[in-house]
Structures are given as C-alpha cells and as structure tokens.
Amino acid sequence: QSALTQPPSASGSPGQSVTISCTGTSSDVGGYNYVSWYQQHPGKAPKLMIYEVNTRPSGVPDRFSGSKSGNTASLTVSGLQAEDEADYYCTSYAGSNNLVFGGGTKLTVL
Amino acid sequence: QVQLVQSGAEVKKPGSSVKVSCKASGDTFSRYAITWVRQAPGQGLEWMGRIIPILGIPHYAQKFQGRVTITADKSTSTAYMELSSLRSEDTAVYYCARDTVTTQFLDNWGQGTLVTVSS
C-alpha cells in the first residue's frame, strides 16, 4: 500500500484557519469513511484528533474539524493557537485489515 | 483510564531480533485490537500490523511480511511485536496503540520504545 499524500508543511498566524489535505485513492480514502487524524508534538506519542472523517473524540477542541471529498480528506484547524504547532498525520483504512498513513504535515504557527 | 505501557529501550546488532511488549489495562484485550506503528528518526509514522487479541489472528503490512510477528497473551493483557533480521534502517521508535476493530482508528497509544540497531 502506498502512503497517503500530505503537504510537508503548512502555516498560519494565531487566530487564522489552516487546512491540511490528505490524498489517497478509491482503495483507501475514497472507499471508506474511516479517515482519522493524529497530532504529534516533538518527542511525544501521537494523539487522536479526528476519527471516521469528521468525529472529534472527547476533549479535542471544536477548532479541529475533518471532511472528505472523493479521494481527499482534510483537517481544518480554526482559530490557530500556539499549542497547535505540531506534526499532523492522516490515516485511512485500506481494506483487508490494512491501515495506511500519510507522510505527515508540519504545522507552524507564525 | 486506558493505559498502554511498553517495554524499555533496546540496542541490537544487525541481523538479530527484538521483541517489544505492550501491557494494556482495562478491557482493551476483550474489545479492541492492538496495532503497532513505528517512526524512524525524523520520519513519519508507519503501520506495521495489528492483532485482535480475542481472535489471536495477526495482520501484517506487506512491507514487513516474513520479518514481523505480532502476538497477544490474554492472560497478562500483553501484546508483543517481534522484528527479525534487524538492519540499521529499523532504528526507530515503536509504538503500540489501541485500535477499534472495525474502523481502525487508534485512540490510545503507548509511550513508545526506542530500538537502536547498531554494530
């Protein structure tokens, strides 16, 4: 399975919104509503931010939202805050018990 | 509060094997799967495989087929990931994570185990 495609970097100023894309194929992102997003700060384990395309786990701020159109999923962070600066990874179910990750996007808060 | 506690850092020689453990609390083993993910230094996350403990059947990423073995001991709620024929490129932090069986999102993660492969 090939990795999902994410932009290597994204940035925004405090208070702004930024959207990170995650492009796959009809065999993964486009074929299932099982896209999830993870936030990872340096030296820390990843943290689940969005699952099943657009559902936030308890405790995740509503500034984080997810969506999907065709083979591309997106994570939007609204009202950027300094603590949002981190790496973000998307994943998708890819059939036959397989999971595929995106390459990751480094989000910088300017 | 779900906890996944992994074994400590390892240093291994090329060609050897490493076995990392992941002890789960709560009802993780009866209701969830355990997934293994690795992250090489400065690199992204990579899915290695998973196991549903109540079934005991593992599934592996194609890349690691033949080199990785994932098992689960229900009596101790501990999952294991063994990687053989180690090479320098296997130097990475290895994470276990709790995995919802059907939709495969990873809602709780272990602290990570650094495996260093060096001669």
Side-chain angles (χ1 to χ4, degrees):
Chain A
Q1 303 85 17
S2 299
L4 306 176
T5 300
Q6 296 181 235
S9 63
S11 63
S13 299
Q16 289 187 331
S17 293
V18 64
T19 296
I20 298 169
S21 63
C22 170
T23 302
T25 70
S26 58
S27 296
D28 38 63
V29 174
Y32 307 93
N33 287 323
Y34 297 156
V35 175
S36 53
W37 290 89
Y38 302 85
Q39 176 191 66
Q40 186 181 35
H41 287 109
K44 300 293 188 183
K47 174 187 175 184
L48 177 68
M49 304 301 284
I50 295 286
Y51 65 95
E52 293 172 11
V53 176
N54 56 14
T55 303
R56 277 187 316 277
S58 172
V60 172
D62 60 6
R63 302 183 294 101
F64 291 86
S65 62
S67 63
K68 191 186 86 165
S69 178
N71 296 337
T72 299
S74 299
L75 173 72
T76 297
V77 186
S78 306
L80 269 175
Q81 299 183 4
E83 60 262 36
D84 299 333
E85 185 162 297
D87 294 327
Y88 291 84
Y89 294 90
C90 62
T91 71
S92 175
Y93 181 63
S96 301
N97 284 283
N98 291 304
L99 194 67
V100 60
F101 275 90
T105 298
K106 181 176 180 59
L107 175 60
T108 301
V109 180
L110 301 170
Chain B
Q1 178 79 5
V2 175
Q3 271 199 306
L4 298 171
V5 180
Q6 299 183 222
S7 49
E10 303 258 16
V11 179
K12 293 292 183 180
K13 300 283 190 192
S16 67
S17 298
V18 68
K19 192 170 187 177
V20 180
S21 68
C22 170
K23 184 170 176 60
S25 64
D27 63 353
T28 295
F29 261 50
S30 61
R31 297 178 57 194
Y32 296 88
I34 296 289
T35 277
W36 289 90
V37 174
R38 77 176 186 179
Q39 185 171 37
Q43 302 300 309
L45 301 171
E46 184 174 30
W47 183 75
M48 300 181 69
R50 73 198 291 243
I51 190 166
I52 303 171
I54 58 171
L55 299 178
I57 300 173
H59 299 274
Y60 304 125
Q62 198 168 5
K63 173 178 177 176
F64 298 101
Q65 287 273 2
R67 231 174 34 103
V68 69
T69 303
I70 296 174
T71 56
D73 182 343
K74 289 180 287 187
S75 68
T76 60
S77 295
T78 303
Y80 299 91
M81 186 285 300
E82 184 171 22
L83 189 62
S84 62
S85 302
L86 290 170
R87 35 212 189 226
S88 59
E89 310 89 88
D90 294 318
T91 293
V93 175
Y94 290 77
Y95 292 101
C96 64
R98 192 176 80 165
D99 163 357
T100 58
V101 175
T102 50
T103 60
Q104 291 194 225
F105 61 86
L106 310 175
D107 65 354
N108 282 276
W109 293 66
Q111 82 275 21
T113 297
L114 175 62
V115 175
T116 303
V117 182
S118 174
S119 54

